[in-house]
Amino acid sequence: MTLKTFLFGLYIFTFYNIPTMSILFNVLIIIATLIFMECFSWFIHKYLFHGPLWFLHKSHHQKSHSFLEWNDLFAILFAGLSLYLMYIDRTNFGYRFFIGLGITVYGLIYFIVHDWFVHRRLKTFKSNNTYLQAVRRAHKIHHKNRGKEKGRAFGLLFVKKGLLKS
């Protein structure tokens, strides 16, 4: 960071009276929400999507003949939840706003990594990054079984160490 950047940041914080701890706290809320969403997504994927909600999720495990699938309803549900949280806290930017923002960021990461990179729903993104290749391998392991039962590797961003090795 240059002195010029530091002084500009100091000016912004002073002029707009933004408490530094408030910004740090809100960033921590977003990071905690991202971690929670990955853990929660693993749980609902394993126990709900491959359980009572299989009738919607199975479209994701079958050959797709269109860009959209029934499984996309889950993304719409989470988008609605995040927009609701941000909307109800839009005037004071409280913790609910930043939880909603964290869900939104997770959804964006999920779209880029899962839909765009792993499933290539948009054919423009390739990478030889070791971590991203491990994510792809883990998801291929998950999709090896096309049925509801006996699934493995239900997460997205947390990858077992063994899959990181090329």
Side-chain angles (χ1 to χ4, degrees):
M1 176 186 316
T2 65
L3 179 61
K4 193 177 193 180
T5 307
F6 175 76
L7 291 175
F8 178 73
L10 188 62
Y11 168 77
I12 292 295
F13 283 117
T14 306
F15 183 73
Y16 290 103
N17 197 21
I18 301 172
T20 307
M21 287 307 290
S22 174
I23 291 172
L24 180 61
F25 184 68
N26 293 333
V27 168
L28 288 175
I29 288 174
I30 293 169
I31 292 169
T33 302
L34 289 170
I35 293 168
F36 172 81
M37 284 302 296
E38 175 64 8
C39 297
F40 183 66
S41 294
W42 176 91
F43 179 84
I44 64 174
H45 186 189
K46 182 171 184 169
Y47 295 107
L48 293 179
F49 296 0
H50 283 258
L53 297 177
W54 175 252
F55 69 99
L56 291 172
H57 183 63
K58 72 180 173 183
S59 67
H60 182 63
H61 285 265
Q62 298 169 341
K63 290 272 185 200
S64 181
H65 300 291
S66 67
F67 184 74
L68 296 175
E69 50 194 45
W70 283 105
N71 188 65
D72 293 332
L73 288 175
F74 297 120
I76 293 169
L77 175 75
F78 282 113
L81 174 63
S82 66
L83 288 172
Y84 172 75
L85 288 170
M86 289 189 289
Y87 180 79
I88 63 173
D89 223 359
R90 70 191 180 282
T91 55
N92 64 346
F93 295 104
Y95 71 93
R96 289 174 296 207
F97 179 87
F98 291 98
I99 290 172
L101 186 59
I103 295 170
T104 299
V105 171
Y106 182 80
L108 182 62
I109 292 169
Y110 190 89
F111 172 75
I112 291 169
V113 173
H114 179 266
D115 292 337
W116 197 350
F117 177 69
V118 172
H119 284 289
R120 314 236 329 123
R121 285 173 95 171
L122 303 171
K123 307 260 189 256
T124 59
F125 179 39
K126 289 184 179 181
S127 175
N128 291 324
N129 177 278
T130 305
Y131 169 73
L132 289 176
Q133 290 300 324
V135 168
R136 176 177 269 149
R137 276 194 295 279
H139 207 72
K140 297 282 182 195
I141 288 169
H142 177 73
H143 277 272
K144 204 173 205 179
N145 174 23
R146 292 203 174 263
K148 176 180 174 181
E149 307 293 330
K150 300 178 185 172
R152 293 176 39 212
F154 291 95
L156 178 68
L157 301 176
F158 298 157
V159 179
K160 287 186 178 182
K161 214 175 200 177
L163 291 173
L164 289 172
K165 297 174 184 162
S166 295

